[in-house]
Amino acid sequence: MKVDYIIVGCGLAGISFCEKLKANNKSFVVFEDSSQQSSIVAGGLYNPVTLKRFTPVWKSEEQLKTALPVYNQLEKDFGVDLDYKVPVRRRFTSLEEQNNWFEASDKVGLKPFINTTLIDNVNPNVDAQFKLGEVLSTGRLDTKLLVQNYKSDLLSKGCLISQSFNHNSLVCKDNQVLYNDIEAKHIVFAEGFGIKQNPFFKALPLGGTKGQLLTIHAPELKLDYVLKSSVFVIPLGNDTYRVGSTYEQKDKTNTITTEARDMLLDKLKTFVKCDFKVLTQVAGVRPTVKDRKPLVGRHKDFKNMYLFNGLGSRGVMIAPYVANQLYNFIENNVAIDTEIDCSRFY
């Protein structure tokens, strides 16, 4: 088999890069062993404002302009709904937070995304006496459905190899890479936290942060927006909601824990005042970097080997933007943003 690219990983990073290759008529094959769960279990929010400190997300306008058309096209390709335009509202706990919200509305990068008209809480099952602040241009992507449909589509086209990639079998030459019976011009590793098993890139400072989320059934809650307080509450339809997430630094497994469940429930009960039932609990390890920027670019020794990783908790927004950066770097020799180029750690 001869292809232009081998892609290792079919999460948000791998999918975004594959879409860029398809748009440019490049051939590829994808290796995916389903060992990484972060793209599947993610809440799927895209939100241009960091709601803890009211600061802008890095290059948020560029990210949204790049990402949303990609997901819109995927909806058309698969005939499914993936992108739900749902408001995100921040629950204020004091007048000071209200004032900070108004001050943030004048910051560079925030003005287009902050509604300066505070919203009264009229939901008797939500404790929000200091009102709500609404973020504009937000939504939720059904990441699990996206990954499922994408893998099925690749499989039907003979482009998916559902097995673990054996890094020791890879041979890198000047103008190509060889893997078993596959010859490719380039290889891109988009393995998420699986990078820790990759001998070519495992020395890079990708620490990984475990996130656990709950799905609850709350018939009386009746939220038609995402509520952000000490945890997110994300409406999924049919009176079900995703609640999350935890940020755990030590445990790097996909195993759910009662400690995380109890912590999420304790936080949820401080502002949700109706009964609910926990339906499911999931966990995944996000690929996070100490400077909170992606790891993208060329291997320091092998010129046909590339990395697409470190998307953290904002993969939905940033993945297509980073895919553009990497593709233009490989094919058109356009420099990658220095803030995300993995060479910053070489």
Side-chain angles (χ1 to χ4, degrees):
M1 180 190 296
K2 291 186 178 182
V3 293
D4 294 315
Y5 285 83
I6 296 172
I7 312 297
V8 183
C10 195
L12 289 171
I15 287 172
S16 296
F17 196 74
C18 287
E19 283 300 286
K20 193 65 182 175
L21 296 180
K22 285 165 57 179
N24 288 276
N25 297 313
K26 301 293 183 181
S27 59
F28 61 89
V29 64
V30 180
F31 283 81
E32 169 60 39
D33 64 2
S34 300
S35 63
Q36 302 304 309
Q37 300 293 314
S38 61
S39 290
I40 296 175
V41 307
L45 289 183
Y46 54 89
N47 164 28
V49 180
T50 301
L51 290 176
K52 187 175 182 179
R53 299 181 179 88
F54 307 153
T55 55
V57 170
W58 180 74
K59 292 189 179 293
S60 54
E61 289 192 68
E62 294 96 322
Q63 288 182 33
L64 286 172
K65 287 178 182 178
T66 304
L68 298 186
V70 171
Y71 300 134
N72 181 256
Q73 184 59 50
L74 287 167
E75 286 185 315
K76 294 177 182 177
D77 291 345
F78 299 143
V80 297
D81 292 328
L82 298 171
D83 183 5
Y84 296 87
K85 307 298 185 184
V86 58
V88 174
R89 294 175 182 170
R90 169 66 146 80
R91 171 183 175 259
F92 298 129
T93 58
S94 66
L95 293 175
E96 181 182 6
E97 283 194 337
Q98 287 185 3
N99 292 333
N100 292 340
W101 181 260
F102 287 120
E103 290 177 7
S105 67
D106 289 327
K107 291 181 181 177
V108 176
L110 283 183
K111 197 166 187 177
F113 303 120
I114 284 188
N115 184 353
T116 54
T117 301
L118 299 186
I119 297 174
D120 290 321
N121 172 49
V122 295
N123 190 326
N125 294 307
V126 173
D127 180 2
Q129 58 180 309
F130 290 100
K131 302 187 178 184
L132 305 164
E134 185 171 70
V135 185
L136 307 175
S137 301
T138 61
R140 177 181 70 86
L141 189 76
D142 191 333
T143 56
K144 183 177 181 179
L145 186 61
L146 169 60
V147 172
Q148 289 174 341
N149 276 270
Y150 210 89
K151 288 166 66 174
S152 295
D153 184 63
L154 291 177
L155 189 62
S156 70
K157 295 174 179 175
C159 297
L160 181 69
I161 300 176
S162 300
Q163 60 184 240
S164 297
F165 188 87
N166 183 354
H167 301 89
N168 295 325
S169 297
L170 182 66
V171 178
C172 296
K173 297 189 175 183
D174 287 342
N175 298 311
Q176 64 179 180
V177 293
L178 306 176
Y179 183 80
N180 297 336
D181 61 345
I182 303 173
E183 297 180 20
K185 297 177 182 177
H186 312 283
I187 184 167
V188 175
F189 288 105
E191 302 159 295
F193 188 66
I195 191 179
K196 306 308 287 187
Q197 309 304 318
N198 184 326
F200 301 107
F201 292 106
K202 67 179 182 180
L204 289 172
L206 189 142
T209 306
K210 181 175 180 176
Q212 299 193 52
L213 303 97
L214 306 176
T215 300
I216 65 170
H217 184 237
E220 298 175 23
L221 187 52
K222 304 302 180 188
L223 280 184
D224 58 359
Y225 59 89
V226 175
L227 178 58
K228 172 64 172 79
S229 185
S230 50
V231 290
F232 276 104
V233 182
I234 307 170
L236 304 177
N238 298 317
D239 296 322
T240 61
Y241 301 86
R242 185 70 52 80
V243 178
S245 175
T246 63
Y247 292 83
E248 304 164 47
Q249 302 297 329
K250 294 182 179 180
D251 184 359
K252 308 295 186 182
T253 70
N254 293 325
T255 304
I256 61 174
T257 64
T258 55
E259 291 83 2
R261 172 190 169 110
D262 292 344
M263 185 187 75
L264 291 171
L265 291 178
D266 287 345
K267 290 183 176 181
L268 181 64
K269 290 174 182 177
T270 62
F271 61 92
V272 167
K273 301 303 179 183
C274 61
D275 292 333
F276 58 83
K277 177 184 179 182
V278 177
L279 301 178
T280 62
Q281 181 177 352
V282 292
V285 182
R286 311 175 190 90
T288 54
V289 186
K290 61 183 182 181
D291 64 2
R292 300 186 181 183
K293 295 290 196 308
L295 289 171
V296 192
R298 179 183 282 129
H299 190 275
K300 61 185 178 66
D301 297 320
F302 303 111
K303 68 178 185 178
N304 297 320
M305 182 187 295
Y306 301 90
L307 181 66
F308 187 164
N309 211 313
L311 303 186
S313 60
R314 297 189 178 274
V316 170
M317 265 184 66
I318 201 172
Y321 176 83
V322 175
N324 280 0
Q325 290 270 316
L326 182 58
Y327 181 84
N328 287 328
F329 174 68
I330 298 172
E331 296 289 343
N332 303 316
N333 202 30
V334 177
I336 296 173
D337 282 338
T338 56
E339 292 173 277
I340 65 174
D341 194 326
C342 60
S343 66
R344 69 191 187 273
F345 294 114
Y346 290 160

